[in-house]
Amino acid sequence: MGHLLSAVELAKRILDRDHRISILILILNIPMNSQMLNSFINSQSRDNHYPTRLTFSSLPPLSNPPDPTSPNYFQTLISLHKPLVKTAVEDKVKAGSLAGFVLDMFCTTMIEVADHFMVPSYIFFTCGASMLNLLFHFFVLEDDQEVDIAAKLNEPGIELDVPGFINRLPGKVVPEGLVSKEFGSSSRFFDHFKKFKKSKGIIVNTFTELETFGVQYLFDQASKDGVPAIYPVGPILELDTKGRGGHRGDDEESIIKWLDDQPPSSVVFLCFGSMGSFDEDQVIEIANGLEKSRYRFLWSLRRPPIEGELELPSENEIFEEALPKGFLDRTEERGKIIGWAPQVSILSHKAVGGFVSHCGWNSILESLWFGVPMATWPLHSEQQLNAFELVKELGLAVEIRIDYRRDWKTKKGNIKVTAEEIENGVKKLMSLDEGTKSKVREMSDKSRDALEDGGLSHKRLGQFIEDVLNNVA
């Protein structure tokens, strides 16, 4: 869902910049978040400012979907959509010139469909430059040096020298998907990402001022044979969330009203993304840590999905029964527990002074946009890498953990984060020295400047648009 939000925002940026372009967004039929997806698409269609130039098409369900428990399930699911994508594009091509495909970073198999139409493909990379540099480095290790990456990363205490990073990279923060058998073999996973090199360009949701060292290395790589053009065009964020969520509008109103009653920069906000939840034991530790910290808090505490199910945590149900006895009464004056969180509205509120985050890339960019300092608690995907970058590479966050991982089947973490760690992390976050706060505010200003006329991200988006139009010149 996070990928779709930023993809739609990217489409709007492109349409604002050049009236000659129209965009069709094809949405694969993925079963795990259909209600949220449909709500978003309906809101976008209803409030569409480009009715003839921005269209959405949800593809029909697969007639023979793969077994959700099978290895490489998601890649198989995406690949089976190729005939449906081909048909949908054929219907549209009759109405105008096809300039190219922009593919989500997990949809590289659709390059074959673009090749059928004899148009180029571009990848929309929804992570940061650090993750892309890590992938390129692993390609070199595997292809040129024949290194068994999975075996190397299983060495205790392993640290890697990765181009594009200032510090050595601990193996424990490398994304699990690159080495875990749960995602199929690592070689199959790498085969997917290696298709990036078959694209004409990679659009990266970052900005040069944030990841200066990493972005520069990407540009150096792009000048070599076999590496496509790099377009850092971020931060791409959906900041106007009005009209989305239906019944959740009432929830948002009560949340904002509570924040209005709190002193400036006094509240720590805890939210762990659309897939973020914890088991009862970990919830107790968080509650005890918050209570001992004595700080005001706003905590998105969602009921976890059933173990083994490919479902998201409940949007509406708060996991209240997991809380310690009497916790709600004891913290009534300084804390609020919520389910779904209107994250943009919360981060933009003057009462929020810190954000305990799962370090999803969208959340990082949002927090920096609003100048809110972060404490890192990653769960899955590339979030451990993001946490390492924020704390060790950039000095823009404090650490609760950078090596925590949550198993997507059992819904349990690899370690228990103790109440003491949480208490200390919250205290450190909420009592940051002025130098660190100033650094975060400065990055907030730079994130906004990057998108303005004359900013580097504005310039790179213009270069991408020019390349697209040259495809039909």
Side-chain angles (χ1 to χ4, degrees), residues 211-223:
E211 298 186 282
T212 305
F213 195 68
V215 168
Q216 184 55 55
Y217 184 75
L218 285 175
F219 283 139
D220 293 342
Q221 288 293 102
S223 66

Side-chain angles (χ1 to χ4, degrees), residues 238-287:
E238 194 219 8
L239 300 174
D240 182 9
T241 58
K242 293 178 181 177
R244 275 208 299 123
H247 68 279
R248 299 185 303 189
D250 294 335
D251 298 335
E252 180 169 355
E253 185 176 341
S254 68
I255 292 166
I256 299 305
K257 186 178 184 303
W258 183 84
L259 285 172
D260 288 342
D261 294 334
Q262 311 308 314
S265 301
S266 66
V267 176
V268 58
F269 172 46
L270 296 90
C271 186
F272 299 90
S274 60
M275 297 178 68
S277 62
F278 296 100
D279 61 24
E280 186 172 338
D281 288 346
Q282 187 60 74
V283 169
I284 291 172
E285 296 295 324
I286 297 172

Side-chain angles (χ1 to χ4, degrees), residues 68-343:
T69 63
S70 62
N72 228 29
Y73 163 70
F74 283 110
Q75 285 308 305
T76 304
L77 185 73
I78 292 168
S79 185
L80 290 173
H81 279 84
K82 282 190 285 190
L84 300 176
V85 170
K86 181 173 176 287
T87 299
V89 174
E90 281 175 341
D91 291 341
K92 278 289 180 181
V93 168
K94 297 170 185 175
S97 300
L98 183 63
F101 279 49
V102 175
L103 307 173
D104 179 83
M105 57 190 280
F106 287 111
C107 294
T108 56
T109 187
M110 298 299 170
I111 290 176
E112 297 172 20
V113 183
D115 289 345
H116 168 79
F117 290 103
M118 294 184 291
V119 294
S121 298
Y122 302 87
I123 305 297
F124 182 37
F125 194 74
T126 53
C127 305
S130 59
M131 180 61 180
L132 192 53
N133 276 320
L134 181 64
L135 287 172
F136 281 141
H137 178 61
F138 280 177
F139 296 163
V140 172
L141 290 181
E142 189 176 73
D143 290 347
D144 298 346
Q145 302 178 26
E146 298 182 350
V147 174
D148 185 336
I149 295 169
K152 188 174 183 67
L153 289 171
N154 283 326
E155 296 175 17
I158 185 69
E159 291 186 337
L160 306 172
D161 289 310
V162 180
F165 286 78
I166 300 168
N167 300 284
R168 301 195 80 200
L169 189 71
K172 63 185 180 182
V173 305
V174 171
E176 187 179 20
L178 298 182
V179 295
S180 172
K181 292 181 180 179
E182 294 288 357
F183 297 86
S185 68
S186 60
S187 62
R188 275 191 288 177
F189 205 77
F190 283 127
D191 285 344
H192 158 68
F193 283 115
K194 283 174 187 174
K195 292 178 183 176
F196 282 11
K197 292 188 175 183
K198 295 183 179 180
S199 71
K200 195 178 182 187
I202 303 176
I203 307 163
V204 188
N205 191 9
T206 191
F207 55 105
T208 303
E209 294 83 355
L210 174 63
E211 298 186 282
T212 305
F213 195 68
V215 168
Q216 184 55 55
Y217 184 75
L218 285 175
F219 283 139
D220 293 342
Q221 288 293 102
S223 66
K224 300 176 182 178
D225 292 340
V227 177
I230 303 294
Y231 301 101
V233 301
I236 303 294
L237 298 170
E238 194 219 8
L239 300 174
D240 182 9
T241 58
K242 293 178 181 177
R244 275 208 299 123
H247 68 279
R248 299 185 303 189
D250 294 335
D251 298 335
E252 180 169 355
E253 185 176 341
S254 68
I255 292 166
I256 299 305
K257 186 178 184 303
W258 183 84
L259 285 172
D260 288 342
D261 294 334
Q262 311 308 314
S265 301
S266 66
V267 176
V268 58
F269 172 46
L270 296 90
C271 186
F272 299 90
S274 60
M275 297 178 68
S277 62
F278 296 100
D279 61 24
E280 186 172 338
D281 288 346
Q282 187 60 74
V283 169
I284 291 172
E285 296 295 324
I286 297 172
N288 289 335
L290 285 175
E291 186 171 359
K292 290 176 182 177
S293 78
R294 306 302 300 170
Y295 278 97
R296 300 169 190 269
F297 64 86
L298 178 63
W299 180 10
S300 175
L301 176 60
R302 301 161 68 201
R303 183 183 298 280
I306 299 171
E307 184 175 324
E309 295 289 327
L310 285 176
E311 295 292 335
L312 298 176
S314 172
E315 283 196 41
N316 309 319
E317 295 178 281
I318 299 172
F319 198 20
E320 281 191 25
E321 65 268 31
L323 293 168
K325 186 176 180 181
F327 173 80
L328 291 175
D329 292 333
R330 293 191 300 272
T331 61
E332 183 179 10
E333 297 299 318
R334 61 181 178 86
K336 184 174 179 62
I337 305 282
I338 60 175
W340 166 80
Q343 185 163 290

